[in-house]
Amino acid sequence: ALEKRQRNANAEDFVGLCHASMSFVQTEESDNPLPIGLSMRALCHTACYADLIADERVLPPVSGSQSSDPSAAGYTYENLSEEEALEMVLWRPILDGLAAGICSTAPSSSGGVGCLVQRGSVITMRAILLRHGSTFSTSQWAVILTQVLLPAIQIGAEYDASPVISITSESPAVSSLDFLNDALPLPPTTEDEGLLKFAELAETNER
């Protein structure tokens, strides 16, 4: 019983850490906007948290899942089995936080590039789902698509007031979405040599 309580407590601490990081990703306009670099670092941390979950260095709670109170422990998604719902307790703050970033109404630009928070959130979400998508069940994928990703994209598109830069084609059969024309490369695997060297260097600097 003590071990179960400790595991639940560890999971809740991790969820709190994710929420704390995502709070630095500005999602609404403010008279005192956060520095863009701070939001970008928070997105990088979020990707690291996803790695910890996928590598099982952080374990989901063993009980107490619920989908009615976002401020209470065990907050997860509906329409899942008990085991699947418990697994998504760790993922929900990350996925929901990135979704909020995707449909952010806060202006964010640097170096002549606009919508940095929105772009960064999309890229981070894409990297996480491509890198760790195999860890999700079919039901979990259905929840991610219907309750997180597609609503975020729709809301983001509806609130996007940025000017049209170019039109690829007047034909409705041809998309003008640049990320479909020029696809980004896939994120590296956990065994990537560059990532391993970076992790080794980071551990050395922490000593």
Side-chain angles (χ1 to χ4, degrees):
L2 178 60
E3 183 178 347
K4 290 182 178 180
R5 287 197 299 270
Q6 186 61 52
R7 179 163 157 177
N8 285 358
N10 290 342
E12 192 58 24
D13 287 344
F14 179 80
V15 169
L17 177 64
C18 293
H19 282 304
S21 289
M22 294 309 302
S23 68
F24 293 103
V25 178
Q26 190 160 350
T27 58
E28 297 178 349
E29 290 192 59
S30 171
D31 294 333
N32 298 299
L34 296 172
I36 296 300
L38 191 59
S39 294
M40 295 300 102
R41 284 194 292 273
L43 292 174
C44 291
H45 292 163
T46 301
C48 294
Y49 300 154
D51 288 346
L52 292 177
I53 300 173
D55 292 341
E56 297 184 349
R57 295 174 65 181
V58 179
L59 298 176
V62 294
S63 61
S65 65
Q66 54 88 21
S67 57
S68 57
D69 186 356
S71 62
Y75 187 54
T76 185
Y77 296 107
E78 297 177 322
N79 304 321
L80 295 171
S81 69
E82 179 65 14
E83 181 179 357
E84 291 171 329
L86 289 169
E87 291 172 351
M88 295 305 287
V89 168
L90 299 180
W91 287 104
R92 177 147 201 178
I94 294 175
L95 299 177
D96 285 5
L98 291 174
I102 291 173
C103 52
S104 170
T105 57
S108 55
S109 61
S110 180
V113 179
C115 301
L116 285 177
V117 167
Q118 295 86 342
R119 292 168 184 259
S121 298
V122 168
I123 291 173
T124 305
M125 178 79 83
R126 175 185 183 274
I128 288 174
L129 294 180
L130 284 174
R131 189 179 174 93
H132 305 304
S134 61
T135 65
F136 300 119
S137 68
T138 302
S139 297
Q140 289 169 332
W141 260 113
V143 164
I144 292 170
L145 290 173
T146 59
Q147 298 186 36
V148 183
L149 192 55
L150 296 180
I153 293 174
Q154 181 176 354
I155 293 172
E158 290 175 352
Y159 282 93
D160 182 15
S162 58
V164 176
I165 298 175
S166 64
I167 299 177
T168 303
S169 171
E170 294 183 1
S171 170
V174 178
S175 171
S176 62
L177 298 177
D178 57 357
F179 67 86
L180 292 180
N181 293 333
D182 301 307
L184 295 172
L186 294 176
T189 65
T190 53
E191 292 80 21
D192 179 77
E193 183 179 352
L195 287 180
L196 293 175
K197 288 182 178 178
F198 179 81
E200 183 180 354
L201 179 61
E203 291 179 358
T204 302
N205 292 337
E206 290 177 357
R207 293 172 185 170

